[in-house]
Amino acid sequence: MGSLKWVFVVMISVISIGVEAELRENFYSSTCPNVEAIVKQSVSIKFRQTFATIPGTLRLFFHDCFLQGCDASVLIDSPNGDAEKDAGDNLSLAGDGFDTVVQSKTAVEAQCPGIVSCADILALAARDVVVLAGGPSFNVELGRRDGLISQASQVSGNLPEPNFDLTQLTTMFSKRGLSLTDMIALSGAHTLGFSHCSRFSNRLYSFSSSSAVDPSLNATYAQQLIQACPQDADPDVVIDMDPETPRTFDNKYYKNLVNGKGLFSSDEVLFSDSASQSTVVDFANNPGDFNIAFVTAMRNLGRVGVKTGNEGEIRKECSIFNS
């Protein structure tokens, strides 16, 4: 009887630990009840300084979650230049995204020292920039811990490339528990982004032996891109991913895809491939459907590879491991 009682207690303890380790919306209700208001205010202040806050923060969240999971490992600075942020695919991450999280963390630490992870602050900030751009608001699950590993060597091959086809995209997203619909909805964040010319110039000058320009590109749009991105374009030149409403979170991205105005091949393939075309058309015609799918996808993305419970740490500064 004593041994059975011990087993029962252990089972209850394991169940309790599992529940505690799960993300939940009210995670800081007793330890830092104003965390969302604090982060929202910090993000708003940063946004008033520059619009780049919005796409920079949103892209930072995506890149963070896709590597080690949503654990703020992308924020780490390395004196040796070998952290995640130093990898080639991450060098274009906007400094304003990093600044948004750092400033928010500073504000949170002033009221709740050592309580809220940088990973959770980034997740909240990503939601807040979507709202500031006119997108849907949604509740953010919290309880992430900050990761203890950040290595540039782990980045290559773990982020979507602009020339990916649908199979490559779905394979990469499915490895992270994200569905085809999640992938299409998250791609809608390109309604706010921008890109350097080098990321898509092959579609303008060297697409194939039979056509220098990608024939799937809208002809007028292709000429606009050629004007903006000549072959000797300044490497600092950036082009809006959404040529219609680049500063508004809306479903125009999908309307652009239908009209041959996807900047990357990986954008346009969402419409050209029959497996994803119907969803793109639905999102283009029904902004409400897109918003619902985007919220679901963001919540699913926010669960990827999270550290909870006793895993990881709560960093004192987002760019430095505690020890």
Side-chain angles (χ1 to χ4, degrees):
M1 183 67 179
S3 61
L4 286 176
K5 181 178 179 181
W6 180 84
V7 170
F8 179 74
V9 170
V10 169
M11 289 177 64
I12 291 298
S13 298
V14 170
I15 292 172
S16 298
I17 292 171
V19 172
E20 289 176 2
E22 291 178 357
L23 301 181
R24 60 181 188 272
E25 293 172 11
N26 63 345
F27 187 84
Y28 299 108
S29 60
S30 60
T31 55
C32 191
N34 296 323
V35 60
E36 295 201 34
I38 298 169
V39 173
K40 181 179 179 180
Q41 182 180 34
S42 295
V43 173
S44 296
I45 291 172
K46 180 64 180 176
F47 169 62
R48 288 196 291 271
Q49 296 170 355
T50 174
F51 177 81
T53 299
I54 289 180
T57 304
L58 196 52
R59 187 165 178 244
L60 189 64
F61 179 59
F62 180 89
H63 278 232
D64 183 51
C65 293
F66 250 58
L67 296 172
Q68 295 291 332
C70 307
D71 67 351
S73 53
V74 75
L75 302 176
I76 290 293
D77 287 334
S78 167
N80 303 316
D82 58 359
E84 277 182 29
K85 68 189 300 185
D86 301 308
D89 286 343
N90 281 335
L91 291 178
S92 62
L93 289 171
D96 292 299
F98 292 96
D99 289 345
T100 299
V101 181
V102 169
Q103 291 177 21
S104 297
K105 173 68 169 177
T106 299
V108 170
E109 284 293 301
Q111 294 194 34
C112 311
I115 299 296
V116 182
S117 68
C118 298
D120 275 347
I121 289 173
L122 177 54
L124 288 170
R127 184 271 311 276
D128 291 342
V129 296
V130 169
V131 175
L132 283 171
S137 183
F138 54 94
N139 294 332
V140 177
E141 295 174 319
L142 302 169
R144 300 167 190 79
R145 305 264 294 178
D146 297 322
L148 300 173
I149 299 173
S150 182
Q151 299 175 347
S153 61
Q154 297 187 2
V155 176
S156 180
N158 284 306
L159 289 169
E161 296 291 341
N163 61 346
F164 269 13
D165 60 26
L166 192 70
T167 298
Q168 291 171 305
L169 288 169
T170 54
T171 298
M172 181 166 284
F173 277 72
S174 66
K175 286 180 179 178
R176 291 154 180 83
L178 300 168
S179 69
L180 174 63
T181 301
D182 288 335
M183 184 269 288
I184 299 170
L186 289 171
S187 297
H190 283 177
T191 191
L192 298 170
F194 48 82
S195 171
H196 293 279
C197 297
S198 60
R199 301 287 283 174
F200 59 87
S201 60
N202 67 301
R203 301 187 74 197
L204 306 176
Y205 301 107
S206 58
F207 184 70
S208 70
S209 58
S210 59
S211 176
V213 178
D214 185 343
S216 70
L217 273 171
N218 176 289
T220 301
Y221 182 49
Q223 287 305 310
Q224 291 172 347
L225 291 175
I226 289 172
Q227 290 291 322
C229 286
Q231 286 185 285
D232 59 349
D234 186 320
D236 292 330
V237 170
V238 293
I239 303 298
D240 291 323
M241 300 286 293
D242 177 353
E244 306 294 333
T245 56
R247 295 194 168 207
T248 303
F249 186 96
D250 55 22
N251 67 329
K252 196 69 175 181
Y253 167 80
Y254 301 101
K255 294 178 182 290
N256 291 337
L257 298 187
V258 173
N259 292 320
K261 296 181 179 181
L263 189 61
F264 294 163
S265 296
S266 58
D267 291 314
E268 197 57 47
V269 74
L270 301 182
F271 177 70
S272 62
D273 195 301
S274 60
S276 50
Q277 186 178 93
S278 61
T279 302
V280 169
V281 172
D282 175 43
F283 290 172
N285 293 330
N286 300 288
D289 288 354
F290 164 51
N291 284 343
I292 291 171
F294 184 79
V295 167
T296 298
M298 283 290 283
R299 286 171 66 89
N300 289 339
L301 176 63
R303 297 166 182 152
V304 173
V306 296
K307 284 76 177 170
T308 58
N310 294 321
E311 299 174 305
E313 64 183 8
I314 304 297
R315 279 184 221 142
K316 298 173 183 177
E317 296 181 42
C318 291
S319 61
I320 305 171
F321 296 124
N322 289 347
S323 59

Coordinates of all heavy atoms in Angstrom, one line a residue, residues 188-268:
G188 N 1.9 35.7 -45.4 CA 1.2 37.0 -45.5 C 1.8 38.1 -44.7 O 1.5 39.3 -45.0
A189 N 2.8 37.8 -43.8 CA 3.5 38.9 -43.1 C 4.4 39.6 -44.1 O 4.9 40.7 -43.8 CB 4.4 38.2 -42.0
H190 N 4.6 39.1 -45.3 CA 5.3 39.8 -46.4 C 4.6 41.0 -46.8 O 5.2 41.8 -47.6 CB 5.7 38.9 -47.5 CG 6.8 37.9 -47.3 ND1 7.2 37.0 -48.2 CD2 7.6 37.8 -46.2 CE1 8.2 36.3 -47.7 NE2 8.4 36.7 -46.5
T191 N 3.4 41.2 -46.4 CA 2.7 42.4 -46.7 C 3.3 43.6 -46.1 O 3.1 44.8 -46.4 CB 1.2 42.3 -46.3 OG1 0.5 43.5 -46.8 CG2 1.0 42.4 -44.8
L192 N 4.2 43.4 -45.1 CA 4.9 44.5 -44.3 C 6.4 44.5 -44.6 O 7.1 45.4 -44.1 CB 4.6 44.3 -42.8 CG 3.2 44.4 -42.4 CD1 3.1 43.9 -40.9 CD2 2.7 45.8 -42.5
G193 N 6.9 43.5 -45.2 CA 8.4 43.4 -45.3 C 9.0 44.1 -46.5 O 8.4 44.7 -47.3
F194 N 10.3 44.0 -46.5 CA 11.1 44.5 -47.6 C 12.3 43.6 -47.9 O 12.7 42.8 -47.0 CB 11.6 45.9 -47.4 CG 12.2 46.2 -46.0 CD1 13.5 45.8 -45.8 CD2 11.4 46.7 -45.0 CE1 14.1 46.0 -44.6 CE2 12.0 46.9 -43.7 CZ 13.4 46.6 -43.5
S195 N 12.9 43.7 -49.0 CA 14.0 42.8 -49.4 C 15.1 43.6 -50.2 O 14.8 44.5 -50.9 CB 13.5 41.7 -50.2 OG 14.5 40.9 -50.8
H196 N 16.3 43.1 -50.0 CA 17.4 43.6 -50.8 C 17.3 43.0 -52.2 O 16.8 41.8 -52.4 CB 18.7 43.2 -50.2 CG 19.0 43.9 -48.9 ND1 19.5 45.2 -48.9 CD2 18.9 43.5 -47.6 CE1 19.6 45.5 -47.6 NE2 19.2 44.5 -46.8
C197 N 17.7 43.7 -53.2 CA 17.6 43.3 -54.6 C 18.2 41.9 -54.9 O 17.7 41.1 -55.7 CB 18.2 44.3 -55.6 SG 17.5 45.9 -55.5
S198 N 19.3 41.6 -54.2 CA 20.0 40.4 -54.5 C 19.2 39.1 -54.2 O 19.5 38.0 -54.7 CB 21.3 40.3 -53.6 OG 21.0 40.4 -52.3
R199 N 18.2 39.3 -53.4 CA 17.3 38.1 -53.0 C 16.4 37.7 -54.1 O 15.9 36.6 -54.1 CB 16.5 38.5 -51.7 CG 17.4 38.8 -50.5 CD 18.1 37.6 -50.0 NE 17.2 36.8 -49.2 CZ 17.5 35.6 -48.6 NH1 18.7 35.1 -48.8 NH2 16.6 34.9 -47.9
F200 N 16.2 38.5 -55.1 CA 15.2 38.2 -56.2 C 15.7 38.6 -57.6 O 15.0 38.4 -58.6 CB 13.9 38.8 -55.9 CG 13.9 40.3 -55.8 CD1 13.8 41.1 -57.0 CD2 14.0 40.9 -54.6 CE1 13.8 42.5 -56.9 CE2 14.0 42.3 -54.5 CZ 13.9 43.1 -55.7
S201 N 16.9 39.1 -57.7 CA 17.4 39.6 -59.0 C 17.5 38.5 -60.1 O 17.4 38.8 -61.3 CB 18.8 40.2 -58.8 OG 19.7 39.3 -58.3
N202 N 17.6 37.3 -59.7 CA 17.6 36.2 -60.7 C 16.3 36.1 -61.4 O 16.3 35.7 -62.6 CB 17.9 34.8 -60.0 CG 16.8 34.4 -59.1 OD1 16.4 35.1 -58.1 ND2 16.2 33.3 -59.4
R203 N 15.2 36.6 -60.9 CA 14.0 36.6 -61.6 C 13.9 37.7 -62.6 O 13.0 37.7 -63.5 CB 12.8 36.8 -60.6 CG 12.7 35.7 -59.5 CD 11.4 35.9 -58.7 NE 10.3 35.5 -59.4 CZ 9.0 35.8 -59.1 NH1 8.8 36.6 -58.1 NH2 8.0 35.4 -59.8
L204 N 14.8 38.6 -62.5 CA 14.8 39.8 -63.5 C 15.9 39.6 -64.6 O 15.7 40.2 -65.7 CB 15.1 41.1 -62.7 CG 14.1 41.4 -61.5 CD1 14.6 42.6 -60.8 CD2 12.7 41.5 -62.0
Y205 N 17.0 39.0 -64.3 CA 18.1 39.0 -65.2 C 18.6 37.6 -65.6 O 19.3 37.5 -66.7 CB 19.3 39.8 -64.6 CG 18.9 41.2 -64.2 CD1 18.7 41.6 -62.9 CD2 18.7 42.1 -65.2 CE1 18.3 42.9 -62.6 CE2 18.3 43.4 -64.9 CZ 18.2 43.8 -63.6 OH 17.8 45.1 -63.3
S206 N 18.3 36.6 -64.9 CA 18.9 35.3 -65.3 C 18.0 34.1 -64.9 O 18.4 33.1 -64.3 CB 20.3 35.1 -64.6 OG 20.1 35.2 -63.2
F207 N 16.7 34.2 -65.2 CA 15.8 33.2 -64.7 C 16.0 31.9 -65.4 O 16.0 30.9 -64.7 CB 14.3 33.7 -64.9 CG 13.3 32.8 -64.4 CD1 13.1 32.6 -63.0 CD2 12.5 32.0 -65.3 CE1 12.2 31.7 -62.5 CE2 11.6 31.1 -64.8 CZ 11.4 31.0 -63.4
S208 N 16.1 31.9 -66.7 CA 16.3 30.6 -67.4 C 17.0 30.9 -68.8 O 17.1 32.1 -69.2 CB 15.0 29.9 -67.7 OG 14.2 30.6 -68.6
S209 N 17.4 29.9 -69.5 CA 18.0 30.0 -70.8 C 17.1 30.6 -71.8 O 17.5 31.2 -72.8 CB 18.6 28.7 -71.2 OG 17.5 27.7 -71.3
S210 N 15.8 30.4 -71.6 CA 14.8 30.9 -72.6 C 14.2 32.2 -72.3 O 13.6 32.9 -73.1 CB 13.7 29.9 -72.8 OG 13.0 29.6 -71.5
S211 N 14.4 32.6 -71.0 CA 13.8 33.9 -70.6 C 14.5 34.5 -69.4 O 14.6 33.9 -68.3 CB 12.3 33.7 -70.2 OG 11.7 34.9 -69.7
A212 N 15.1 35.7 -69.6 CA 15.9 36.3 -68.5 C 15.0 36.7 -67.4 O 15.3 36.6 -66.2 CB 16.6 37.5 -69.1
V213 N 13.8 37.1 -67.7 CA 12.8 37.5 -66.8 C 11.8 36.4 -66.5 O 11.3 35.8 -67.4 CB 12.0 38.8 -67.2 CG1 10.9 39.2 -66.2 CG2 12.9 39.9 -67.5
D214 N 11.5 36.2 -65.2 CA 10.6 35.1 -64.8 C 9.2 35.4 -65.5 O 8.6 36.5 -65.2 CB 10.4 35.1 -63.3 CG 9.6 34.0 -62.8 OD1 8.8 33.4 -63.6 OD2 9.6 33.7 -61.6
P215 N 8.7 34.6 -66.4 CA 7.5 34.8 -67.0 C 6.2 34.9 -66.1 O 5.2 35.4 -66.5 CB 7.4 33.7 -68.1 CG 8.2 32.6 -67.5 CD 9.3 33.3 -66.8
S216 N 6.4 34.3 -64.9 CA 5.2 34.4 -64.0 C 5.1 35.8 -63.3 O 4.0 36.1 -62.7 CB 5.4 33.3 -62.9 OG 6.4 33.7 -62.0
L217 N 6.1 36.6 -63.5 CA 6.0 38.0 -63.0 C 5.1 38.8 -63.9 O 5.2 38.8 -65.1 CB 7.4 38.7 -63.0 CG 8.3 38.5 -61.7 CD1 9.7 39.0 -62.0 CD2 7.7 39.1 -60.5
N218 N 4.2 39.6 -63.2 CA 3.4 40.6 -64.0 C 4.4 41.5 -64.7 O 5.4 42.0 -64.2 CB 2.6 41.4 -62.9 CG 1.9 42.6 -63.6 OD1 2.4 43.5 -64.0 ND2 0.6 42.4 -63.6
A219 N 4.2 41.7 -66.0 CA 5.1 42.4 -66.9 C 5.4 43.8 -66.4 O 6.6 44.3 -66.4 CB 4.6 42.4 -68.3
T220 N 4.4 44.5 -66.0 CA 4.5 45.9 -65.6 C 5.3 45.9 -64.3 O 6.2 46.7 -64.1 CB 3.2 46.6 -65.4 OG1 2.4 46.6 -66.6 CG2 3.3 48.0 -64.8
Y221 N 5.0 45.0 -63.4 CA 5.7 44.9 -62.1 C 7.2 44.5 -62.3 O 8.1 45.1 -61.7 CB 5.0 43.8 -61.2 CG 5.6 43.6 -59.9 CD1 5.8 44.7 -59.0 CD2 5.9 42.3 -59.4 CE1 6.4 44.5 -57.7 CE2 6.4 42.1 -58.1 CZ 6.6 43.2 -57.3 OH 7.2 43.0 -56.0
A222 N 7.4 43.6 -63.3 CA 8.8 43.3 -63.6 C 9.6 44.5 -64.0 O 10.8 44.7 -63.6 CB 8.9 42.2 -64.7
Q223 N 9.0 45.3 -64.8 CA 9.7 46.5 -65.3 C 10.0 47.5 -64.2 O 11.0 48.1 -64.1 CB 8.9 47.2 -66.4 CG 9.0 46.4 -67.8 CD 10.4 46.2 -68.2 OE1 11.2 47.1 -68.3 NE2 10.7 45.0 -68.6
Q224 N 9.0 47.6 -63.3 CA 9.2 48.5 -62.1 C 10.4 48.0 -61.2 O 11.2 48.8 -60.7 CB 7.9 48.5 -61.3 CG 6.8 49.2 -61.9 CD 5.5 49.0 -61.2 OE1 5.3 48.2 -60.3 NE2 4.4 49.8 -61.5
L225 N 10.5 46.6 -61.1 CA 11.6 46.1 -60.3 C 12.9 46.3 -61.0 O 13.9 46.6 -60.3 CB 11.3 44.6 -60.1 CG 10.1 44.2 -59.2 CD1 9.9 42.7 -59.1 CD2 10.3 44.7 -57.8
I226 N 12.9 46.2 -62.3 CA 14.2 46.4 -63.0 C 14.7 47.8 -62.9 O 15.9 48.1 -62.7 CB 14.0 46.0 -64.5 CG1 13.8 44.5 -64.7 CG2 15.1 46.5 -65.4 CD1 13.5 44.0 -66.1
Q227 N 13.7 48.7 -62.9 CA 14.1 50.1 -62.7 C 14.6 50.4 -61.3 O 15.6 51.1 -61.1 CB 12.8 51.0 -62.9 CG 12.3 51.1 -64.4 CD 13.3 51.9 -65.2 OE1 13.9 52.9 -64.8 NE2 13.5 51.4 -66.5
A228 N 14.0 49.7 -60.3 CA 14.4 49.9 -58.9 C 15.7 49.2 -58.6 O 16.5 49.6 -57.7 CB 13.3 49.5 -58.0
C229 N 15.9 48.0 -59.3 CA 17.0 47.2 -59.0 C 17.8 46.9 -60.3 O 17.7 45.8 -60.8 CB 16.5 45.9 -58.4 SG 15.9 46.0 -56.7
P230 N 18.6 47.8 -60.8 CA 19.4 47.5 -61.9 C 20.5 46.5 -61.5 O 20.7 46.2 -60.3 CB 20.1 48.9 -62.2 CG 20.0 49.6 -60.9 CD 18.7 49.2 -60.3
Q231 N 21.1 45.9 -62.5 CA 22.0 44.8 -62.2 C 23.2 45.2 -61.3 O 23.8 44.4 -60.6 CB 22.6 44.2 -63.6 CG 21.6 43.4 -64.3 CD 22.1 42.7 -65.5 OE1 22.3 43.4 -66.6 NE2 22.4 41.4 -65.5
D232 N 23.5 46.5 -61.4 CA 24.6 47.0 -60.5 C 24.0 47.8 -59.3 O 24.6 48.7 -58.8 CB 25.5 47.9 -61.3 CG 24.8 49.1 -61.9 OD1 23.6 49.1 -61.9 OD2 25.5 50.0 -62.3
A233 N 22.8 47.3 -58.8 CA 22.1 48.0 -57.7 C 23.0 48.1 -56.5 O 23.8 47.2 -56.1 CB 20.8 47.3 -57.4
D234 N 22.8 49.2 -55.8 CA 23.5 49.4 -54.5 C 23.0 48.3 -53.6 O 21.8 48.1 -53.4 CB 23.1 50.8 -53.9 CG 23.8 51.1 -52.6 OD1 24.0 50.2 -51.8 OD2 24.1 52.3 -52.5
P235 N 23.9 47.6 -52.9 CA 23.5 46.5 -52.0 C 22.6 46.9 -50.8 O 21.9 46.1 -50.2 CB 24.8 45.9 -51.5 CG 25.8 47.0 -51.7 CD 25.4 47.7 -52.9
D236 N 22.5 48.2 -50.6 CA 21.7 48.7 -49.5 C 20.3 49.0 -49.9 O 19.4 49.3 -49.1 CB 22.3 50.0 -48.9 CG 23.6 49.7 -48.1 OD1 23.7 48.5 -47.6 OD2 24.5 50.6 -48.1
V237 N 20.0 49.0 -51.2 CA 18.7 49.3 -51.7 C 17.7 48.2 -51.3 O 18.0 47.0 -51.4 CB 18.7 49.4 -53.3 CG1 17.2 49.5 -53.8 CG2 19.4 50.6 -53.7
V238 N 16.5 48.6 -50.8 CA 15.5 47.6 -50.4 C 14.2 47.9 -51.1 O 13.9 49.0 -51.5 CB 15.3 47.6 -48.9 CG1 16.5 47.1 -48.1 CG2 14.9 49.0 -48.4
I239 N 13.5 46.8 -51.4 CA 12.2 46.9 -52.1 C 11.1 46.4 -51.3 O 11.2 45.4 -50.6 CB 12.3 46.1 -53.4 CG1 13.5 46.6 -54.3 CG2 11.0 46.1 -54.2 CD1 13.3 48.0 -54.8
D240 N 10.0 47.1 -51.3 CA 8.8 46.6 -50.5 C 8.3 45.3 -51.0 O 8.2 45.1 -52.2 CB 7.7 47.6 -50.6 CG 8.0 48.9 -49.8 OD1 8.6 48.8 -48.8 OD2 7.6 50.0 -50.3
M241 N 8.0 44.3 -50.1 CA 7.5 43.1 -50.5 C 6.1 43.2 -51.1 O 5.7 42.5 -52.0 CB 7.5 42.1 -49.4 CG 8.8 41.8 -48.7 SD 9.8 40.7 -49.7 CE 8.9 39.2 -49.6
D242 N 5.4 44.2 -50.6 CA 4.0 44.5 -51.0 C 4.0 45.8 -51.7 O 4.2 46.8 -51.1 CB 3.1 44.5 -49.9 CG 1.6 44.9 -50.2 OD1 1.4 45.2 -51.4 OD2 0.7 44.8 -49.3
P243 N 3.9 45.8 -53.1 CA 4.0 47.1 -53.8 C 2.8 48.0 -53.7 O 2.8 49.2 -54.1 CB 4.3 46.7 -55.3 CG 3.6 45.3 -55.3 CD 3.8 44.7 -54.0
E244 N 1.8 47.5 -53.1 CA 0.5 48.2 -53.0 C 0.3 48.9 -51.7 O 0.0 50.1 -51.7 CB -0.7 47.3 -53.3 CG -0.6 46.5 -54.6 CD -0.6 47.4 -55.8 OE1 -1.3 48.4 -55.8 OE2 -0.1 47.0 -56.9
T245 N 0.3 48.2 -50.6 CA 0.1 48.8 -49.3 C 1.2 48.3 -48.3 O 0.9 47.5 -47.4 CB -1.3 48.3 -48.7 OG1 -1.4 46.9 -48.7 CG2 -2.4 48.9 -49.6
P246 N 2.4 48.7 -48.5 CA 3.6 48.2 -47.8 C 3.6 48.5 -46.3 O 4.4 47.9 -45.5 CB 4.8 48.8 -48.5 CG 4.3 50.0 -49.1 CD 2.9 49.7 -49.5
R247 N 2.8 49.4 -45.8 CA 2.8 49.8 -44.4 C 1.5 49.4 -43.7 O 1.2 49.9 -42.6 CB 3.1 51.3 -44.3 CG 4.4 51.7 -44.8 CD 4.9 53.1 -44.3 NE 6.3 53.3 -44.5 CZ 7.0 54.2 -43.8 NH1 6.5 54.8 -42.9 NH2 8.3 54.3 -44.1
T248 N 0.7 48.6 -44.3 CA -0.5 48.2 -43.7 C -0.6 46.7 -43.7 O -0.4 46.0 -44.7 CB -1.7 48.7 -44.5 OG1 -1.6 50.2 -44.6 CG2 -3.1 48.3 -43.9
F249 N -1.0 46.1 -42.5 CA -1.2 44.7 -42.5 C -2.6 44.4 -43.0 O -3.6 44.7 -42.4 CB -1.1 44.2 -41.0 CG -1.2 42.7 -40.9 CD1 0.0 41.9 -40.8 CD2 -2.4 42.0 -40.9 CE1 -0.1 40.6 -40.7 CE2 -2.5 40.6 -40.8 CZ -1.3 39.9 -40.7
D250 N -2.6 43.8 -44.2 CA -3.9 43.5 -44.9 C -3.7 42.2 -45.8 O -2.6 41.6 -45.7 CB -4.4 44.7 -45.7 CG -3.4 45.2 -46.7 OD1 -2.5 44.4 -47.1 OD2 -3.5 46.3 -47.1
N251 N -4.7 41.9 -46.6 CA -4.6 40.8 -47.4 C -4.2 41.1 -48.8 O -4.3 40.3 -49.7 CB -6.0 40.0 -47.5 CG -7.0 40.9 -48.2 OD1 -7.0 42.1 -48.1 ND2 -8.0 40.2 -48.8
K252 N -3.6 42.3 -49.0 CA -3.2 42.7 -50.3 C -2.1 41.8 -50.9 O -1.9 41.6 -52.1 CB -2.7 44.2 -50.3 CG -2.6 44.8 -51.6 CD -3.9 45.1 -52.3 CE -3.9 45.8 -53.6 NZ -5.2 46.1 -54.2
Y253 N -1.3 41.2 -50.0 CA -0.2 40.3 -50.4 C -0.8 39.2 -51.3 O -0.2 38.9 -52.3 CB 0.5 39.7 -49.2 CG 1.4 38.5 -49.4 CD1 2.7 38.7 -49.9 CD2 0.9 37.2 -49.1 CE1 3.5 37.6 -50.1 CE2 1.7 36.1 -49.3 CZ 3.0 36.3 -49.8 OH 3.8 35.2 -50.0
Y254 N -1.9 38.7 -50.9 CA -2.5 37.6 -51.7 C -3.1 38.1 -53.0 O -3.1 37.4 -54.0 CB -3.6 36.8 -50.8 CG -2.9 36.3 -49.5 CD1 -3.1 37.0 -48.3 CD2 -2.2 35.2 -49.5 CE1 -2.5 36.5 -47.2 CE2 -1.6 34.7 -48.4 CZ -1.7 35.4 -47.2 OH -1.1 34.9 -46.1
K255 N -3.7 39.2 -53.0 CA -4.2 39.8 -54.2 C -3.0 40.0 -55.2 O -3.1 39.8 -56.4 CB -4.9 41.2 -53.9 CG -6.2 41.1 -53.1 CD -6.8 42.4 -52.9 CE -8.0 42.4 -52.0 NZ -9.2 41.8 -52.7
N256 N -1.9 40.4 -54.6 CA -0.7 40.6 -55.5 C -0.3 39.3 -56.1 O 0.1 39.2 -57.3 CB 0.5 41.2 -54.6 CG 0.2 42.6 -54.2 OD1 -0.6 43.3 -54.8 ND2 0.9 43.0 -53.1
L257 N -0.3 38.2 -55.3 CA 0.1 36.9 -55.8 C -0.8 36.5 -57.0 O -0.3 36.0 -58.0 CB 0.0 35.8 -54.8 CG 1.0 36.0 -53.5 CD1 0.9 34.8 -52.6 CD2 2.4 36.2 -54.0
V258 N -2.1 36.7 -56.9 CA -3.0 36.4 -58.0 C -2.7 37.2 -59.2 O -2.9 36.7 -60.3 CB -4.5 36.7 -57.5 CG1 -5.5 36.5 -58.7 CG2 -4.9 35.7 -56.3
N259 N -2.2 38.4 -59.0 CA -1.9 39.3 -60.2 C -0.4 39.2 -60.6 O 0.1 40.1 -61.3 CB -2.2 40.7 -59.8 CG -3.7 40.9 -59.6 OD1 -4.5 40.4 -60.4 ND2 -4.1 41.7 -58.6
G260 N 0.3 38.2 -60.2 CA 1.7 38.0 -60.6 C 2.7 39.0 -60.0 O 3.7 39.3 -60.5
K261 N 2.4 39.5 -58.8 CA 3.2 40.5 -58.1 C 3.8 39.9 -56.8 O 4.0 40.7 -55.9 CB 2.4 41.8 -57.8 CG 1.9 42.5 -59.1 CD 1.2 43.8 -58.7 CE 0.7 44.5 -60.0 NZ 0.0 45.8 -59.6
G262 N 4.1 38.7 -56.8 CA 4.9 38.1 -55.7 C 6.4 38.4 -55.9 O 6.9 38.1 -56.9
L263 N 7.0 39.0 -54.9 CA 8.4 39.4 -55.1 C 9.4 38.2 -55.2 O 10.2 38.2 -56.1 CB 8.9 40.3 -54.0 CG 10.2 41.0 -54.2 CD1 10.3 41.9 -55.4 CD2 10.6 41.8 -52.9
F264 N 9.2 37.2 -54.3 CA 10.1 36.0 -54.4 C 9.4 34.9 -55.2 O 8.2 34.9 -55.2 CB 10.3 35.5 -53.0 CG 11.2 36.4 -52.1 CD1 11.2 36.2 -50.7 CD2 12.0 37.4 -52.6 CE1 11.9 37.0 -49.9 CE2 12.7 38.2 -51.8 CZ 12.7 38.0 -50.4
S265 N 10.2 34.0 -55.7 CA 9.6 32.8 -56.3 C 8.8 32.0 -55.3 O 7.7 31.5 -55.6 CB 10.7 31.9 -56.9 OG 11.4 32.6 -57.9
S266 N 9.3 32.0 -54.0 CA 8.6 31.3 -53.0 C 7.3 32.0 -52.6 O 6.4 31.3 -51.9 CB 9.5 31.2 -51.7 OG 9.9 32.5 -51.3
D267 N 7.1 33.2 -52.9 CA 5.8 33.9 -52.8 C 4.9 33.5 -53.9 O 3.8 33.0 -53.7 CB 5.9 35.4 -52.8 CG 6.7 36.0 -51.6 OD1 6.3 35.6 -50.5 OD2 7.5 36.8 -51.8
E268 N 5.3 33.6 -55.1 CA 4.5 33.4 -56.3 C 4.0 31.9 -56.4 O 2.9 31.6 -56.9 CB 5.2 33.8 -57.6 CG 4.2 34.0 -58.8 CD 3.1 35.0 -58.5 OE1 3.4 36.1 -58.0 OE2 1.9 34.7 -58.8

